[in-house]
Amino acid sequence: MSDDDSDERFETRAIHAGQEPDEETGALMTPIFANSTYVQDGPGEDRGYEYSRTGNPTRDDLEDNLASLEGGEYGRAFSSGMGAINTVLNLLEAGDHVVAGDDVYGGTHRIFTQVYEDYDIDFDFVDTTDHDAVRDAMRESTELVWAETPTNPLMNVNDISALSDIAHDHDALCAVDNTFATPYLQRPLEFGADIVCHSLTKYLGGHSDLVAGALVTDDEELDEQFGFYQNSVGATPSPFDCFLVLRGTKTLGVRMDRHCETAAELAEWLDDHEHVSTVYYPGLEDHPGHELAAEQMDDFGGMLSFELDASLEEASEFVSQTEVFTLAESLGGVESLIESPAAMTHAAIPKEEREAAGLTDGLVRASVGIEHVDDLKADLQQAIEAALETA
Ligand SMILES: *Cc1c(COP(=O)(O)O)cnc(C)c1O
């Protein structure tokens, strides 16, 4: 951590880590340093900054803040979650092999298979909750194990510590996409992961008004490589977006508390609903990842999925009928969003494969926002009544 704040608690660090009042003006908030370039006192004698792709004070403050929240030493911010993921892949060379979860984010699957396979990097997608399957997939050339937890949209919970051990037994790195949990609920570095990756677009930004990403690590050498690729590839965030994320991280704890509380209440309610067959929420005791989530996470998060007893048409009608829940992809904002994976985020997967993976036509994914829980319940109820002929 850049500041000596490691003994302070999360909520305090969220507000103060990496952020000091501006020395010259006393401005309390980190200013938006809208600069491409910086004056030099003589050739090569800069005052710490020379060009904003290489370094920017607003971005620096954000990077220190994010490192602190993940309990890590080093943070790097990017122009999107995909920009951050791309930077991890920049570490690899032709001939290298990666083992990844079979239910990773669609954009992650796309960059792996449609971009990096062309550079002669091999990917195996396995059920990362099955550690024998992960071990079997490891090769001499495996350099990276990639996992998310909880996963999208079935909220499978991966054991970060077990996956890190398998990776390290094979001299590979373990990277965890912590977008769904956020560092408020789960800090992968504590469980042995080498790299934490984020789409800041989601909970950390928290207001659906920006796109950004981040990487955090404890390893100085890795961080230097990330810095090299950040500057060489150029997927850096604007100072304005860095400012917005800093604004978001300040309230992350209070927002997550409400997201978790409301999602848990909706999950219980849906679980008892006559037109819902299954609810996927790690906070429910019968969820297969419940015990692990209880150990690895501080709470169960704001994402849930559920299976309506409905055809694809009825499920599509249901997500179109909600009024408080907005029909949209993405997640993690203060407003509740709803979507049909079979018709939207996962529509590209052939129906048979989709169903085999549990992504049935009636599946609905919700990003539970911080509106009043009773309004959210009433909204789901009226949409079920409107969409299901039998309701
Ligand atoms: C959204 C998302 C990403 C990609 O992030 P962008 O900011 O959209 O580029 C990566 N991983 C997960 C889990 C996501 O939800």
Side-chain angles (χ1 to χ4, degrees):
M1 257 167 267
S2 62
D3 294 335
D4 187 20
D5 57 9
S6 46
D7 54 343
E8 287 168 357
R9 287 158 189 81
F10 187 96
E11 293 82 348
T12 309
R13 285 182 281 122
I15 292 167
H16 296 289
Q19 296 167 82
E20 294 287 335
D22 184 50
E23 270 183 27
E24 216 154 288
T25 60
L28 189 59
M29 288 304 129
T30 299
I32 302 167
F33 282 92
N35 295 283
S36 59
T37 192
Y38 303 82
V39 65
Q40 304 199 2
D41 296 324
E45 290 173 45
D46 60 65
R47 303 178 190 177
Y49 294 95
E50 47 191 41
Y51 191 64
S52 271
R53 169 161 37 72
T54 322
N56 174 283
T58 317
R59 190 173 95 210
D60 274 2
D61 281 10
L62 172 63
E63 290 176 338
D64 289 345
N65 184 255
L66 295 171
S68 172
L69 296 187
E70 282 290 355
E73 289 286 335
Y74 309 101
R76 296 278 174 182
F78 297 88
S79 54
S80 67
M82 292 317 303
I85 292 168
N86 181 64
T87 303
V88 177
L89 298 172
N90 286 157
L91 299 171
L92 304 175
E93 290 173 0
D96 285 349
H97 174 245
V98 178
V99 176
D102 58 6
D103 53 358
V104 292
Y105 174 69
T108 303
H109 190 273
R110 180 177 56 202
I111 194 174
F112 285 179
T113 56
Q114 295 185 41
V115 180
Y116 280 90
E117 270 184 0
D118 289 348
Y119 292 100
D120 200 20
I121 291 165
D122 269 352
F123 295 86
D124 266 322
F125 296 93
V126 302
D127 173 359
T128 37
T129 64
D130 178 349
H131 301 150
D132 289 333
V134 177
R135 255 182 237 106
D136 287 348
M138 299 296 287
R139 302 181 195 164
E140 193 74 28
S141 57
T142 308
E143 293 293 333
L144 181 67
V145 172
W146 185 280
E148 294 169 15
T149 183
T151 65
N152 178 24
L154 296 182
M155 308 300 137
N156 291 320
V157 181
N158 279 306
D159 188 331
I160 299 170
S161 160
L163 293 176
S164 300
D165 285 348
I166 296 171
H168 297 159
D169 283 346
H170 292 78
D171 290 326
L173 296 171
C174 179
V176 174
D177 184 332
N178 203 29
T179 300
F180 269 42
T182 84
Y184 184 64
L185 303 182
Q186 168 177 282
R187 292 154 304 279
L189 299 178
E190 287 175 4
F191 298 96
D194 304 285
I195 301 165
V196 182
C197 158
H198 275 286
S199 169
L200 303 174
T201 312
K202 315 294 169 54
Y203 287 106
L204 278 81
H207 297 76
S208 306
D209 54 7
L210 65 95
V211 174
L215 297 176
V216 177
T217 182
D218 273 336
D219 185 317
E220 186 177 4
E221 214 175 298
L222 271 180
D223 177 66
E224 272 173 20
Q225 285 175 287
F226 292 155
F228 172 78
Y229 290 115
Q230 189 183 37
N231 187 41
S232 304
V233 176
T236 51
S238 73
F240 183 65
D241 284 342
C242 293
F243 166 84
L244 283 178
V245 180
L246 274 173
R247 205 168 199 258
T249 57
K250 286 188 173 62
T251 57
L252 181 64
V254 287
R255 283 187 286 112
M256 290 313 294
D257 281 343
R258 179 62 73 83
H259 284 298
C260 292
E261 187 189 335
T262 305
E265 189 170 335
L266 287 182
E268 298 269 354
W269 178 76
L270 286 164
D271 208 27
D272 288 339
H273 200 287
E274 58 176 330
H275 296 294
V276 175
S277 50
T278 315
V279 179
Y280 300 94
Y281 183 66
L284 294 176
E285 274 173 28
D286 60 359
H287 186 280
H290 175 70
E291 269 178 42
L292 176 58
E295 283 169 31
Q296 192 170 265
M297 301 173 73
D298 295 323
D299 204 336
F300 302 105
M303 296 298 299
L304 61 84
S305 293
F306 56 96
E307 170 106 38
L308 270 182
D309 295 322
S311 62
L312 186 60
E313 292 69 35
E314 287 170 321
S316 295
E317 180 62 13
F318 167 75
V319 295
S320 309
Q321 286 292 339
T322 56
E323 286 163 7
V324 184
F325 279 88
T326 303
L327 176 57
E329 295 181 5
S330 197
L331 59 113
V334 290
E335 59 287 305
S336 294
L337 303 182
I338 201 155
E339 66 119 356
S340 152
M344 296 166 67
T345 42
H346 296 68
I349 308 173
K351 185 176 160 88
E352 251 176 49
E353 247 180 79
R354 212 170 59 217
E355 302 242 307
L359 308 180
T360 52
D361 285 349
L363 191 71
V364 173
R365 184 189 83 177
S367 171
V368 177
I370 63 171
E371 300 95 336
H372 198 285
V373 64
D374 292 344
D375 293 329
L376 294 174
K377 251 184 232 175
D379 189 36
L380 294 176
Q381 181 60 34
Q382 68 78 23
I384 289 173
E385 283 168 17
L388 269 62
E389 282 171 17
T390 51

